[in-house]
Amino acid sequence: MDSIVVTGNGPLSGQVPIAGAKNACLALMPATLLSDEPLTLTNAPRLSDIRTMTALLQSLGAEVVPLQGGQVLALSSHDLIGHLAHYDIVRKMRASILVLGPLLARAGEAVVSLPGGCAIGARPVDLHLSGLEALGAEMELREGYVHARAPRGGLVGGRVRFPLVSVGATENVLMAATLARGSTVIENAAREPEIVDLARCLRAMGARIEGEGTDRIEVEGVERLSGATHRVVADRIEMGTYMLVPAICGGEVECLGGGLDLLPGFADKLDEAGITVRATEDGVAVSRGNGRVRAVDVTTAPYPGFPTDLQAQMMALLCLADGVSVLEERIFENRFMHAPELMRMGARIEVHGGTARVTGVDRLKGAPVMATDLRASVSLILAALAAQGETVVNRVYHLDRGYERVEEKLSALGAKIERVAA
Ligand code: UD1
């Protein structure tokens, strides 16, 4: 397994291109299953999770052809041959469950493995299943698989009210509803920019959708969807991560390709911590003058609140803040696995259940550390950029699931970082 070696070396400055959003792309790709015409996605990120979704769609008979080095994905589900999402692929990536809604809508049946345990909490799929049941699907759980069947004549529109906000369940029901007979209302829908992006793509394919970006989405089912070309929205989590680079190391970084509207809750917190954030013509610029960052309290919440996917990275920043910060993780249990690793670098953190209390220290010191999940791995890299001496981050395969060319992008800002093959 590869490691990443980082030597802290002071302020970092420059421009970083932000890739297309992994999480948007993982929902857009299964949308191909809804139509027999081609779907082309541009601005796709080049990540291992995208390759996993490619393999899953191909196993169902879809064609997925990466063009321009993977930045364009040409998809076609003209000849859908299967409806089984096998455990061997699903266990690698929870987002595999997103084929369930589209398969049900187009093929009338789907057999999808349950994703199983996940390092950052139990993460059940009950909301995906109950949402699709509200459209008439019948579900049965057998031997670790969901066996789902649409009624004769296909799914029917219905009212879905989610008891809690779920990005994935909203996406699954939204996709299924586009081909259901009649109208569907999704209440307490997720409002994340990735949902808005999916709705735009579906609309370009001929779907009739209103209200995306609010907590109530209405869909009027259509007979069939056509092909489309769609540009994937910028990755707000990658952008937020690079916004933290100058916040933690000093310097000024401009993230190219994304806007502040993608990260309202996060930008507010940086401002509160004393970091300068401003919109530019091509993206967002962030800088930190001399002096320490102020401690701030952070509570994760669905969009437009502070994203759980930036909690680990924010913690790395707050390890060096002036004062005590309290971080509350409200979306996933067990999402502080980066805390003990940051403590190996000299951070002062106490974790009690879903709350972490971080007392800022003057400096962090390099150490060998272990990446435990995707966002945890990048939080260790951020800490390492600001630490004295050398940090070796092991088990970086998690990083490749979500960050494109991270060493290259950080080197371009002046960081001393390299990947060492095992
Ligand atoms: C998506 C993102 C992930 C992000 C998360 C929250 C993708 C591919 N992944 O994950 O990076 O961290 O949103 O912003 O887009 N829940 C249930 N039952 C369900 C579904 C969810 O109880 O059927 C719970 C989850 O355990 C969690 C909460 O709902 O506590 C929110 O999860 P959800 O929004 O569904 O996350 P994902 O869509 O899996």
Side-chain angles (χ1 to χ4, degrees):
M1 255 178 251
D2 294 359
S3 316
I4 286 194
V5 182
V6 180
T7 310
N9 66 338
L12 299 176
S13 295
Q15 294 181 318
V16 196
I18 301 304
K22 167 181 86 77
N23 287 350
C25 201
L26 289 175
L28 292 161
M29 292 172 74
T32 179
L33 299 171
L34 292 165
S35 169
D36 61 1
E37 291 182 22
L39 172 66
T40 304
L41 299 175
T42 63
N43 197 35
R46 288 157 292 180
L47 301 167
S48 63
D49 271 7
I50 301 299
R51 291 191 286 277
T52 304
M53 183 58 85
T54 299
L56 175 57
L57 294 173
Q58 286 170 338
S59 77
L60 298 168
E63 254 179 56
V64 185
V65 183
L67 304 170
Q68 296 180 25
Q71 273 187 306
V72 173
L73 297 173
L75 304 110
S76 164
S77 302
H78 189 267
D79 306 308
L80 207 55
I81 47 161
H83 56 266
L84 169 70
H86 203 275
Y87 177 65
D88 284 345
I89 301 183
V90 177
R91 71 184 165 81
K92 288 190 196 159
M93 189 181 67
R94 185 184 152 75
S96 306
I97 192 79
L98 294 175
V99 301
L100 179 60
L103 278 178
L104 258 178
R106 168 108 178 272
E109 60 181 324
V111 179
V112 178
S113 169
L114 288 168
C118 162
I120 60 169
R123 302 181 87 178
V125 292
D126 55 315
L127 301 176
H128 298 247
L129 306 189
S130 60
L132 294 167
E133 274 171 345
L135 305 190
E138 280 174 23
M139 305 280 180
E140 217 187 309
L141 298 182
R142 264 186 279 138
E143 289 150 8
Y145 282 79
V146 181
H147 293 252
R149 193 173 278 281
R152 212 187 298 262
L155 294 173
V156 277
R159 176 172 173 264
V160 178
R161 186 177 166 78
F162 288 121
L164 55 93
V165 177
S166 163
V167 175
T170 303
E171 290 166 343
N172 238 333
V173 173
L174 174 61
M175 286 192 275
T178 59
L179 290 180
R181 257 180 304 128
S183 45
T184 296
V185 177
I186 309 174
E187 290 171 343
N188 203 22
R191 292 181 281 165
E192 270 64 6
E194 292 75 23
I195 304 277
V196 175
D197 203 41
L198 175 62
R200 282 193 186 139
C201 175
L202 293 170
R203 204 179 288 122
M205 293 168 74
R208 291 178 57 196
I209 301 170
E210 274 176 30
E212 74 276 12
T214 75
D215 62 2
R216 184 187 157 92
I217 303 178
E218 288 181 42
V219 186
E220 194 59 48
V222 294
E223 279 287 287
R224 59 183 300 280
L225 293 180
S226 60
T229 296
H230 175 81
R231 181 180 166 84
V232 181
V233 67
D235 195 316
R236 63 199 170 97
I237 306 302
E238 189 195 27
M239 180 168 88
T241 302
Y242 285 104
M243 286 167 73
L244 283 168
V245 170
I248 198 164
C249 300
E252 169 153 351
V253 170
E254 185 179 14
C255 298
L256 305 174
L260 278 178
D261 54 322
L262 296 175
L263 282 174
F266 175 72
D268 287 350
K269 278 294 157 190
L270 287 191
D271 184 54
E272 211 180 308
I275 308 295
T276 308
V277 177
R278 64 188 168 85
T280 63
E281 209 165 292
D282 302 315
V284 173
V286 180
S287 59
R288 194 193 92 199
N290 296 328
R292 282 173 75 181
V293 168
R294 284 195 289 275
V296 291
D297 294 341
V298 171
T299 302
T300 61
Y303 186 88
F306 193 100
T308 174
D309 285 350
L310 284 168
Q311 176 260 107
Q313 301 89 312
M314 188 70 179
M315 186 186 281
L317 172 71
L318 296 177
C319 285
L320 289 163
D322 187 13
V324 176
S325 307
V326 176
L327 275 102
E328 275 193 58
E329 175 54 60
R330 293 270 179 86
I331 308 291
F332 295 115
E333 74 266 33
N334 199 14
R335 207 179 191 182
F336 285 134
M337 283 169 306
H338 41 286
E341 301 299 317
L342 290 167
M343 285 158 76
R344 293 175 51 76
M345 302 175 70
R348 282 181 60 194
I349 306 168
E350 292 158 62
V351 175
H352 297 286
T355 305
R357 198 181 142 86
V358 183
T359 306
V361 294
D362 287 340
R363 65 174 58 90
L364 295 173
K365 292 206 171 119
V369 289
M370 188 82 85
T372 49
D373 69 48
L374 169 55
R375 308 304 172 186
S377 11
V378 81
S379 82
L380 297 173
I381 291 183
L382 286 174
L385 292 171
Q388 261 181 351
E390 186 181 275
T391 298
V392 181
V393 184
N394 294 302
R395 291 171 70 115
V396 293
Y397 64 90
H398 291 290
L399 197 67
D400 298 328
R401 292 187 46 202
Y403 289 89
E404 189 184 280
R405 301 180 293 122
V406 67
E407 312 92 280
E408 221 176 285
K409 289 186 183 185
L410 286 171
S411 298
L413 299 176
K416 278 182 77 177
I417 178 168
E418 60 175 348
R419 184 179 288 249
V420 179

